Amino acid sequence: VASRILLRGSSGGDGDVQEGTLGDGLILTGTVISVVPVTATFTITATGFTTSVTGTARYVLLGTIVVLFIPSLTGTSNATTLTLTGLPAEIQPTQTSFEELRATDNGIDVLSIARLNAASSTIDLFSSLALGVWTALGTKTIYPLYIVYHRS
């Protein structure tokens, strides 16, 4: 059974009301930016390796909520930094936030942290929760992860 949705001012006038339907039990009033999920893939590129390391990332955008999937990325390290580039403008965060993740630094599993930078297509990764640097040799790996954040 679908519930009704009310969109106020949706056709330009202050008093306009349009009705529609959404899933069970959900009634919205006011301006709705998006209620239909947007799903897409993009190429994410990791820097800090001897060769280019890329993967196919995926996301779902529902209004202002983003669910981002980053695949496993691995290679031979040649830098003390690790960044991911290529985040589409549509899902770039509006606030800087931090997310924990599992990684490998010079062959040793570590609990690391990702910094999603506000209004940026780049995610910075650190080898420890204390924002440590990576070892510039050996194997560096990011394991698959999901990041959920709010854009507003």
Side-chain angles (χ1 to χ4, degrees):
V1 175
S3 297
R4 68 191 167 107
I5 178 171
L6 298 177
L7 305 176
R8 297 198 185 278
S10 59
S11 63
D14 290 337
D16 295 333
V17 176
Q18 293 184 354
E19 289 192 36
T21 58
L22 277 181
D24 294 337
L26 184 58
I27 299 174
L28 300 176
T29 60
T31 303
V32 177
I33 296 171
S34 174
V35 294
V36 177
V38 174
T39 60
T41 62
F42 64 97
T43 299
I44 194 156
T45 302
T47 67
F49 296 95
T50 56
T51 61
S52 178
V53 175
T54 63
T56 301
R58 297 187 304 266
Y59 67 88
V60 175
L61 176 61
L62 181 59
T64 60
I65 304 297
V66 177
V67 179
L68 173 63
F69 171 76
I70 299 174
S72 182
L73 300 167
T74 190
T76 302
S77 179
N78 70 348
T80 59
T81 58
L82 175 53
T83 60
L84 303 177
T85 63
L87 207 60
E90 178 176 54
I91 63 166
Q92 290 176 9
T94 54
Q95 298 179 30
T96 297
S97 64
F98 295 85
E99 299 292 332
E100 296 175 3
L101 66 132
R102 190 170 150 247
T104 299
D105 182 19
N106 194 21
I108 300 170
D109 283 347
V110 295
L111 181 59
S112 59
I113 197 158
R115 180 176 61 204
L116 286 81
N117 300 300
S120 175
S121 63
T122 300
I123 300 172
D124 298 313
L125 290 99
F126 301 93
S127 66
S128 71
L129 299 181
L131 305 182
V133 297
W134 299 88
T135 305
L137 55 92
T139 301
K140 189 166 26 182
T141 301
I142 305 164
Y143 295 101
L145 74 143
Y146 284 93
I147 301 173
V148 179
Y149 58 96
H150 181 258
R151 296 184 73 243
S152 62

